[in-house]
Structures are given as C-alpha cells and as structure tokens.
C-alpha cells in the first residue's frame, strides 16, 4: 500500500472542489489512481480525465505531471509519496 | 473554387476586382497561403528591399475557405506584408467578426498598395467599393474609430465590421497593430504601421451575400461530427470557462512564465498566480469572438472597483478577458501583480492598437537596466523628459511608456518604436555601452512572453520562424505537453519529440508543425480547436475533409502536408530574397547562455543543443545547413521551380 498526493489545478480543481487530495493505492500505478479519482469525483471528472475511446488518460487539452515534471501515462508505476498534478494543457493566445 | 481579389492602388485611387482561379487554390489552399502568393507576385515587379513604410510595400488581407461555412472551427483573418519593425516577411492572424463579415461581401482577399494623398478608409458593401475621406477619424483610437464607422455606415445591408488602426499606426510606430471590430488584434509584425504609412485608417465591410460551399451535405455532416467531438471533451468546457488563462496554473507549476524580462519563470503574488481569481472577481459572461465557432472561449469582464486596491483606479472598465500572452506580458514580463491591472493592460494595448509582446519586452528591458543600476536617474529623464521610477509592476510608469511609444512623444518612443531588439541596439549605441545581453528576442523579433529554455523545439521556433521570434508558426505542443503518442505517430514510433531530455527530433518537430500550422492558417480556422485536439492532432486529415467539402479540392493527407510545406517555403523564399541567412536564425544571449534557476526544469539553457537542433531543422526542411538557404532540388519537388529561378537570380539559392 502506498500513498500518492494529488494536486488539481484550474478546471480540475473546479470539478473536484478542492486543490489537493491523497489516495492510498494497492497496485501503485496510474490506472488505479485514475480509477479512484473518477470514483470519488464523478462523471465530469471522468470525462476530463479519461479517454472514452481507449480507457487511457485523456491527452487532449490536459497535462498530468509527476514531481519531476514528466508527463504520466496510464501504465506508469507510482512511488510512495509521489505527487501527481492535474493541469489544463493549453498555450499561447 | 474561385474567389475574388480586390486590388486597391491608393496612389492612383484605383479599385479593381480580379478572379483568383481554382488552380491557385489547388496550389496555395487559401487564407495565408494565398496571401503569401499575392505578396510574392507583387515583389516580382516591385523592389523587395523597399522601405516597408513606403508605397511599394503591400498589405494583404485574406480569409480562408472554411471561414463562414458553418464548419464551427472558428475564423481567423490574416494580414500579410513586409514587416516595418523586423524588415522581413510579416503576417498576423486575428479573430472577431470582421473576417466573417468579409466572406459575405464579394471579396475574400484585399491587396493594398501605394499611398493615399490624405487619410481615407476603404468601404466595401457587397460588391461596391469606395475610398472615403477619413480626416474625421484621424487621431482616434481603434475603439473610437470603430464606433464612428458603425454609426456612419448604418445597418444596411448589415452592420459594419471594421479593421482599424490607432494613433500608433498613424505615427507609423513599427509595432503598431491592426484591430478587428475594436476587440481582436492582429498584433504581430507592425501591420498598423503599414496601413498608417499608406494613409489608410480603416477597412469597413458590410455584406449580406452568400458564400460558396461546394458540397454542403458533406460540410454539414463534418460540422455535426466536429461539434459532437467537442461536446464530448470535458477539457473544452474548462477552456470555455477560462480560455487561455487556464495556462496560468500549468505554467506556474512547471515554471514556464516569463518573469521580469525572463530573469525568472514564475509569477509572484497571490492574485495573478491563479486564473480562479480572475474568473471569480471579474468575469461576466462567455461569448464567441467570431461567428462559426463551437467553442466560445472569449468572455467579457467588468471592474467594479472594490475587488482590490488597484481595481479602484478602473471602476466601470469593461473589455474582453486577457489572453494568456497579455497576462504573460503584464504579470510576467512587467511583474504586475493585480488582475485588474492585467485586464487594463490588455485594454489599453488593444485600444491603442499596439503589440503588447514587443511593448512589454521593450519596457521590461529598460526596467532591468534600472534594476541593475545600469542607467541613472539622469538617463531616465533623458529618455522620457521627466522622472520615472521604472519599478517593476508600476502601472503608472507602464502606461506612460505605452503612450511614449504610441505617440513617439519622447526618446524612449523613438528608440523602441520597432520593438526590443532594435530598441536595445539603438540605446546601446546612444549610451556607448552594450546592453544586448538584457534584450530578449529571436531572429530580431520580440519574444512571446513565455519561458523557452527548457523546450528545444520552442527555442528553435524563436530562431527560425519566418516572421521573427514566434511560437505560433511551429507551436511545440508535442514537446511542451510531452505527447509521446503524437511523437510516435509522426516519427515512426519514436518518442524523442516529446522527451525534454534530448535534442533529438526537436528540429524535425518544428518543420513538421510549421507545415501543419501553415495548413490551418490557409484553411482560415482558429488554432485553439486544433490545440485542444478534439478530433486528432492532424490538420491534414480531419480538417482536410472539411476543406474538400468547402472547395471540392479533395486531397490525400500527404498531399496536404506537401501543400503546407510549399507555403512555408514561399515565406522562406521571401526572407531569402531580403537577405536573411543562417546567421539570422538565432536567439538572444539570455536564452543561449543563462540557465534557468527556478521551475521544474532548472539548469535549462539553449547553448547545449541550439546548433544541433538547427542543423536537424535544416535537414528536415531539405535546406542547406551552412547558409540556411533553400535548394533547387527541394523547391522543384514542391512545384516551385519558378521560385528557385528568382532566388538564383538574386543569389539567394543554395549553390
């Protein structure tokens, strides 16, 4: 069992109603974390977080990074104490 | 597919209508592609090394074939000209209702040359055109001009939509912009100065004609599918709510802002570090910037005055929400820490029709000199004719600087009217000191106010973009968002394009995305629909079907990518004729040599990878590494043998 810290920013924060949370994971991977987040925060969060076509993370208009600033994908292993930040992926304007 | 081009010779007061035949669309797609072609043809009979502020320069407005068709992909008009501030190819996109309205007149393209003997505006009403005295508009800002024209022209056959310049354009300030309906700015490269030099204050259009869609059933089907894809993506709803301000948190998290002339890359303060604060305090309602958009990312704000101490200065002010780069230039480059001041900065630079990227980088350059005690109190008085603190974030000083440039009312305005690069060069020469290490630029153009150093593709874009430092021409989202899935698609399963730790495939990504962006700009659609990626990050495939429905030109994706490459090569050829070579494809000292020291990617610096990425870019382009020039072989492979001949005559073709 590991604990992962989660940060929600901008639209993710609005959907979650909080900027921070933490989750205990048994398998310790991103798939499990995404499933727990969707279960806790509901359908809109699921629509934001997951790609309905292939059950991977929704890469479109989003950005999910670990504490090293690297994008995480659905199959990634997470370490105990890792922080994953959920961001809106947009630029310019 | 055919289209109409209105040619306006202001010197002779001649107005001529021409048909752009189908064959031109087959080669140049539309929008920016056709604008470039019109500019290229013009400079075959006029001196390409002319003064950009002289009568021989050309100003082209064009709108692409998808605009106004109901596709729902947003509309961007494009202006194209030789840039007066950078002295190279110049162009700029803008949304708003003006480009949409143009499509309901008889013309999709307008080419303006010469110089009027007194201020005029161009009035297009369906197929009737006239040059009208504009002496009553001269001296007005973009909002005043727009309002006067709307009142003057009435509402038949439609309300007038306008493209206007302000006093900055009239004064031929090199970084003066052109503004659509007083709301959406064609900011880059100084189109406002070109119109000002021609004594053309505005273009006003009224139209209620139809527009051709070759295969309307197919277009409707595409449009329905596109809308469904957008509606399915919750990220789009986030974008509707915040627009590009949603980038504030991401950039703050990874360290991608441009703070204090890019001495840092994080915003400071409690207010501007969160887009939530903007939304809660100021945002009133969402709206579309242009008709024919399924996203509607724009919104209006109103300042009540009690939101903060600073807000009290702007009671009642209403305008559109600042985009990210307006925020980056104020909260970043100038260290403004209150959202009301950021909104105000966006409004005044829009009303004055001036590029807030060039302007903020010019002001922040000077503020850094003051911060480092490299200029004295006496030097400041010399520049402005009065005392100025030039303290970071001081809005009174910042507004004074804006007016200095718009009205060229003092030495600062004269020196920095062409942006930070030339301004810093001129000021260094005047002071007998080299201040260039504090000037932030690429290829002589002002930086976009974002951190570049951790992102090799973005740095390369700043060096090679056809219009000077620019991220839009080759926007490096594959790299910045680390999209390994896209890297695999475009580079045969390789992931390096999305990997920040290696320079591999970064030059290749610039070339690839430049071609894609050239396509989007030629279709005439908004880039945000593509960036949000509801339909796949592939303009040559999904959007290609809409283009086929609109024009009847049904091309395979690889052919469309070749069309995009052809368009990029014509922009390159224009710059080669002007004399630009590899040595011009460079970036400023700070990006090259000073490592980042905050954010998630500290220690990032360009020098380690810059030349390698640039070489790779030239290789993927098929251009010569040593000079950066195009080869005859590459141009002929793109059906540009005639362009190769012109370049050979000018000594601008690789040997």
């Amino acid at each position: 069992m590991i604990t992962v810290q989660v940060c929600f920013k901008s639209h993710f924060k609005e959907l979650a109603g909080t900027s921070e949370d933490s989750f205990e994971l048994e398998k310790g991977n991103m798939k499990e974390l995404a499933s727990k987040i969707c279960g806790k925060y509901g359908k809109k969060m699921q629509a934001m977080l997951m790609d309905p076509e292939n059950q991977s993370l929704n890469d479109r208009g989003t950005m999910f990074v670990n504490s090293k600033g690297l994008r995480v994908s659905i199959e990634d292993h997470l370490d105990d104490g890792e922080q994953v930040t959920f961001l809106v992926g947009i630029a310019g304007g | 597919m055919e289209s109409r081009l209105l040619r306006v010779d202001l010197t002779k007061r001649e107005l001529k209508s021409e048909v752009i035949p189908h064959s031109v669309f087959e080669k140049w797609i539309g929008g920016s592609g056709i604008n470039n072609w019109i500019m290229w043809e013009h400079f075959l009979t006029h001196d390409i090394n002319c003064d950009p502020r002289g009568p021989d320069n050309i100003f082209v407005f064009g709108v692409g074939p998808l605009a106004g068709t109901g596709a729902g992909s947003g509309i961007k008009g494009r202006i194209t000209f030789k840039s007066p501030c950078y002295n190279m190819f110049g162009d700029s996109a803008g949304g708003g209702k003006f480009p949409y309205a143009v499509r309901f007149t008889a013309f999709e393209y307008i080419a303006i040359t010469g110089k009027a003997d007194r201020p005029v505006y161009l009035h297009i009403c369906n197929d009737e055109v006239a040059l009208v005295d504009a002496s009553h508009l001269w001296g007005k800002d973009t909002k005043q001009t727009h309002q006067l024209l709307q009142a003057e022209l009435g509402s038949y056959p439609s309300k007038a939509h306008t493209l206007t310049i302000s006093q900055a354009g009239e004064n031929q300030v090199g970084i003066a912009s052109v503004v659509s309906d007083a709301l959406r700015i064609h900011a880059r490269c100084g189109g406002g100065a070109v119109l000002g030099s021609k004594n053309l204050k505005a273009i006003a259009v009224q139209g209620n004609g139809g527009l051709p869609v070759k295969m309307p059933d197919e277009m409707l089907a595409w449009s329905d599918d596109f809308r469904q894809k957008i509606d399915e993506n919750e990220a789009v709803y986030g974008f509707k709510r915040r627009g590009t301000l949603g980038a504030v948190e991401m950039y703050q998290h990874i360290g991608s802002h441009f703070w204090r002339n890019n001495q840092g890359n994080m915003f400071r303060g409690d207010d501007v570090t969160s887009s939530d604060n903007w939304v809660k305090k100021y945002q009133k309602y969402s709206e579309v910037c242009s008709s024919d958009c399924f996203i509607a990312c724009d919104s209006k704000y109103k300042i009540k005055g009690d939101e903060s101490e600073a807000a009290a200065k702007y009671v009642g002010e209403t305008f559109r929400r600042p985009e990210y780069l307006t925020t980056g230039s104020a909260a970043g480059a100038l260290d403004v820490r209150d959202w009301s001041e950021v909104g105000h900065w966006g409004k005044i630079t829009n009303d004055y029709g001036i590029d807030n990227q060039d302007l903020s980088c010019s002001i922040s350059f000077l503020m850094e000199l003051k911060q480092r005690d490299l200029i004295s109190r006496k030097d400041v008085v010399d520049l402005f004719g009065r005392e100025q603190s030039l303290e970071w974030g001081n809005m009174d000083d910042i507004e004074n600087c804006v007016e200095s440039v718009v009205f060229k009312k003092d030495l600062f305005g004269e020196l920095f009217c062409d942006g930070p690069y030339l301004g810093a060069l001129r000021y260094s020469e005047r002071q007998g000191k080299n201040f260039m290490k504090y000037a932030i630029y690429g290829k002589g153009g002002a930086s976009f106010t974002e951190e570049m150093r951790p992102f090799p593709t973005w740095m390369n874009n700043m060096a090679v973009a056809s219009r000077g430092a620019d991220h839009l021409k080759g926007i490096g989202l594959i790299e910045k968002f680390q999209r390994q899935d896209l890297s695999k698609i475009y580079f045969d399963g390789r992931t390096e394009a999305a990997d920040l730790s290696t320079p591999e495939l970064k030059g290749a990504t610039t070339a690839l995305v430049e071609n894609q962006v050239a396509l989007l700009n030629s279709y005439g659609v908004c880039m945000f629909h593509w960036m949000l990626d509801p339909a796949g990050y592939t303009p040559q495939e999904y959007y290609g079907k809409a283009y086929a429905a609109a024009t009847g030109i049904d091309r395979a994706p690889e052919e469309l990518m070749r069309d995009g490459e052809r368009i990029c090569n014509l922009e390159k050829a224009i710059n080669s004729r002007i004399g630009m070579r590899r040595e011009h494809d460079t970036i400023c000292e700070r990006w090259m040599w000073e490592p980042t020291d905050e954010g998630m990617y500290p220690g990032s610096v360009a020098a380690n990878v810059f030349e390698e990425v640039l070489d790779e870019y030239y290789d993927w382009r098929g251009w010569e590494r040593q000079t950066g020039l195009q080869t005859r072989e590459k141009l002929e492979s793109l059906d540009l043998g005639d362009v190769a001949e012109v370049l050979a005559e000018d000594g601008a073709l690789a040997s």
Side-chain angles (χ1 to χ4, degrees):
Chain A
M1 188 78 78
I2 64 165
T3 302
V4 174
Q5 306 300 317
V6 169
C7 288
F8 297 117
K9 303 285 188 181
S10 53
H11 195 56
F12 282 103
K13 181 179 161 190
E14 203 164 298
L15 294 176
T18 181
S19 59
E20 293 177 355
D21 204 346
S22 67
F23 291 87
E24 293 194 337
L25 306 179
E26 289 179 12
K27 295 175 185 167
N29 59 35
M30 190 61 203
K31 186 175 183 180
E32 185 184 7
L33 177 61
S35 173
K36 290 204 168 187
I37 290 172
C38 293
K40 182 168 182 179
Y41 293 112
K43 285 185 180 174
K44 282 195 174 180
M45 180 63 88
Q46 181 164 356
M48 185 80 177
L49 192 54
M50 302 302 294
D51 186 332
E53 288 180 10
N54 54 20
Q55 286 308 302
S56 63
L57 296 176
N58 174 23
D59 289 327
R60 299 170 177 182
T62 59
M63 176 79 169
F64 320 117
V65 294
N66 64 19
S67 49
K68 292 176 184 164
L70 301 177
R71 185 170 195 126
V72 293
S73 62
I74 194 77
E75 64 271 15
D76 281 356
H77 171 79
L78 300 171
D79 292 330
D80 188 30
E82 181 63 275
Q83 176 177 287
V84 181
T85 304
F86 295 81
L87 299 151
V88 169
I90 191 74
Chain B
M1 179 72 193
E2 283 185 351
S3 190
R4 298 270 294 275
L5 164 65
L6 174 64
R7 286 198 184 272
V8 181
D9 184 329
L10 290 166
T11 305
K12 297 177 183 170
R13 296 183 75 86
E14 277 182 359
L15 304 162
K16 288 183 185 169
S17 170
E18 290 178 13
V19 171
I20 300 176
H22 185 80
S23 58
V24 171
F25 282 86
E26 287 200 314
K27 190 164 183 177
W28 299 109
I29 302 292
S32 65
I34 287 185
N35 279 21
N36 295 352
W37 168 74
I38 292 169
M39 181 180 178
W40 172 262
E41 294 281 313
H42 172 78
F43 282 120
L44 295 179
T45 55
H46 296 75
D47 181 9
I48 200 163
N49 288 307
C50 68
D51 176 1
R53 293 174 172 88
D56 279 352
N57 199 0
I58 187 169
F59 179 97
V60 186
F61 175 87
V63 60
L66 282 182
T69 58
S73 49
I75 299 174
K76 294 286 182 182
R78 179 150 299 256
I79 58 175
T80 306
F81 45 88
K82 184 179 178 188
S83 168
C85 49
Y86 305 151
N87 198 38
M88 66 176 93
F89 174 87
D91 72 354
S92 190
K97 296 181 176 59
F98 178 82
Y100 183 79
V102 168
R103 282 227 77 187
F104 288 88
T105 71
F107 306 96
E108 279 92 32
Y109 298 87
I110 306 164
I112 297 160
T113 54
K115 178 181 180 180
D117 59 3
R118 60 184 183 279
V120 293
Y121 73 85
L122 174 65
H123 182 212
I124 302 173
C125 184
N126 286 328
D127 59 354
E128 294 180 8
V129 293
L131 290 169
V132 184
D133 177 71
S135 52
H136 60 302
L137 303 174
W138 210 250
K140 302 285 192 286
D141 69 23
T142 61
K143 184 178 177 184
Q144 293 163 337
T145 305
H146 172 71
Q147 289 174 338
L148 285 165
L149 281 170
Q150 281 211 324
E152 182 173 317
L153 295 171
S155 57
Y156 183 81
S158 75
K159 196 160 67 172
H161 294 282
T162 68
L163 203 63
T164 61
I165 61 171
S166 77
Q167 302 95 324
E170 294 170 10
N171 294 330
Q172 300 179 39
V173 169
I175 57 172
S177 307
V178 176
V179 181
S180 163
D181 275 4
L183 282 172
R184 307 293 304 194
I185 190 163
H186 295 258
R188 303 301 295 171
C189 298
V194 178
L195 289 189
S197 74
K198 296 182 177 307
N199 272 333
L200 188 68
K201 178 68 178 173
I203 303 172
V205 300
Q206 293 173 284
N208 62 353
L211 57 85
V213 173
K214 198 76 176 177
M215 298 183 284
D217 290 342
E218 284 81 352
M219 178 57 81
L220 282 172
W222 187 91
S223 176
D224 281 345
D225 185 68
F226 188 54
R227 185 176 55 194
Q228 191 175 336
K229 283 182 162 57
I230 284 177
D231 285 348
E232 284 171 354
N233 190 343
E234 181 64 28
V236 175
Y237 286 89
F239 187 63
K240 281 173 188 269
R241 187 137 166 82
R242 288 178 169 76
T244 50
L245 282 194
V248 166
E249 281 85 352
M250 175 188 157
Y251 285 19
Q252 185 72 5
H253 186 74
I254 65 174
S256 188
H257 293 306
F258 179 108
W259 185 69
R260 289 195 175 184
N261 204 32
N262 216 184
Q263 295 179 80
N265 54 36
M266 315 274 279
F267 289 171
R268 267 66 169 181
D270 297 328
D271 198 29
V272 294
T273 45
S274 167
S275 61
D276 294 340
N277 293 333
W278 171 269
V279 172
K280 284 176 194 161
K281 290 182 191 174
Y282 301 107
Q283 193 154 305
K284 294 304 166 198
Y285 55 87
S286 294
E287 61 179 7
V288 289
C289 90
S290 67
S291 312
D292 203 356
C293 169
F294 290 151
I295 292 183
C297 68
D298 209 352
S299 71
K300 281 287 191 298
Y301 74 79
K302 184 169 185 181
I303 299 175
K304 289 185 292 182
D306 60 357
E307 297 92 342
S308 69
E309 191 179 333
K313 289 186 288 185
Y314 312 118
V315 177
E317 178 171 300
T318 180
F319 192 57
R320 51 181 289 258
R321 177 186 51 216
E323 298 284 0
Y324 172 73
L325 283 171
T326 292
T327 306
S329 57
L334 301 171
D335 195 13
V336 167
R337 300 188 184 188
D338 189 283
W339 271 121
S340 69
E341 294 176 323
V342 174
H344 183 65
W345 162 258
K347 177 172 167 49
I348 59 172
T349 51
N350 190 88
D351 288 353
Y352 277 138
I354 196 157
D355 187 331
N356 60 31
Q357 303 300 294
D358 281 271
L359 198 50
S360 65
C361 289
S362 298
I363 300 169
S364 66
F365 163 80
L366 202 60
M367 286 180 163
E368 184 173 350
L369 295 190
K370 186 71 172 36
Q371 169 201 314
R372 294 179 183 277
D373 291 327
L374 294 171
I375 54 174
S376 66
R377 193 173 152 189
K378 181 173 171 295
D379 294 326
V380 174
V381 173
D382 183 41
L383 280 165
F384 295 100
R386 60 187 181 279
E387 300 271 355
Q388 292 236 77
S389 75
L390 291 181
E391 286 173 0
W392 294 106
N394 183 319
M395 270 307 284
D396 291 337
D397 281 2
I398 290 167
E399 285 202 55
N400 284 336
C401 289
V402 173
E403 293 188 354
S404 291
V405 174
V406 169
F407 296 101
K408 285 189 183 173
K409 67 181 189 184
D410 49 33
L411 182 61
F412 177 73
E414 291 289 343
L415 294 176
F416 287 85
C417 67
D418 294 319
Y421 174 70
L422 282 179
L425 272 178
R426 290 167 183 159
Y427 193 53
S428 295
E429 188 177 340
R430 180 182 172 85
Q431 297 294 95
K433 296 175 183 172
N434 185 358
F435 293 135
M436 293 310 290
K437 75 181 280 192
Y438 307 109
I440 310 299
Y441 62 87
K443 203 173 182 170
S447 167
F448 277 79
T449 47
E450 298 186 17
E451 176 64 82
M452 307 294 165
R453 286 167 284 188
F455 311 107
T457 303
W458 287 63
M459 279 192 300
N460 192 51
N461 293 343
M462 295 296 124
V464 303
S466 59
R467 61 179 183 183
D470 188 86
H471 72 275
L472 285 172
K473 293 278 183 184
I475 188 161
L477 300 185
I478 296 175
E479 170 197 70
K480 194 162 199 171
F481 297 157
Q482 302 173 49
R483 292 285 300 271
Q484 290 196 5
D485 57 326
L486 297 174
S487 180
K488 286 177 184 172
I489 289 171
Y490 288 117
F491 298 110
D492 296 327
R494 294 174 65 183
T495 59
E496 295 98 308
D499 183 349
L500 297 177
S501 68
T502 172
E504 291 281 314
L505 291 181
K506 302 306 188 292
T509 303
T510 300
L512 166 81
V513 182
E514 281 181 338
N515 295 345
Q516 292 183 324
V517 167
L519 263 184
L520 289 164
N521 289 336
S522 300
Y523 297 154
V525 299
C526 176
M527 283 179 67
F528 288 131
H529 298 66
W530 169 66
M531 284 165 61
L532 284 164
D533 192 18
Y537 200 76
T538 52
Q540 67 276 27
E541 291 173 4
Y542 191 74
Y543 284 91
K545 292 172 186 163
Y547 178 74
T551 63
I553 300 171
D554 192 359
R555 299 165 87 80
E558 57 273 20
E559 289 178 303
L560 285 167
M561 284 300 284
R562 191 163 158 267
D563 295 335
E565 186 178 7
R566 181 184 302 116
I567 292 162
C568 292
N569 269 270
L570 198 63
E571 292 178 12
K572 170 75 175 179
I574 289 168
N575 280 337
S576 296
R577 290 195 69 205
I578 290 170
M580 306 200 76
R581 303 291 185 267
R582 180 177 178 130
E583 61 265 30
H584 297 97
D585 289 350
T586 189
I587 55 173
C588 60
E589 291 181 35
R590 174 156 289 158
W591 291 341
M592 191 67 91
W593 302 110
E594 288 184 29
T596 54
D597 60 4
E598 59 181 358
M600 298 198 93
Y601 315 110
S604 301
V605 70
N608 298 336
V609 299
F610 184 80
E611 296 298 332
E612 183 181 344
V613 174
L614 189 57
D615 282 345
E616 185 188 75
Y617 172 75
Y618 290 143
D619 290 349
W620 278 75
R621 278 271 174 238
W623 301 343
E624 185 179 69
R625 273 191 183 190
Q626 191 177 1
T627 60
L629 288 172
Q630 291 151 294
T631 63
R632 182 179 293 277
E633 183 185 10
K634 168 51 72 175
L635 290 170
E636 287 179 346
S637 76
L638 296 168
D639 301 323
L640 294 176
D642 56 331
V643 172
E645 287 302 321
V646 174
L647 294 181
E649 277 181 33
D650 284 2
L653 189 68
S655 52

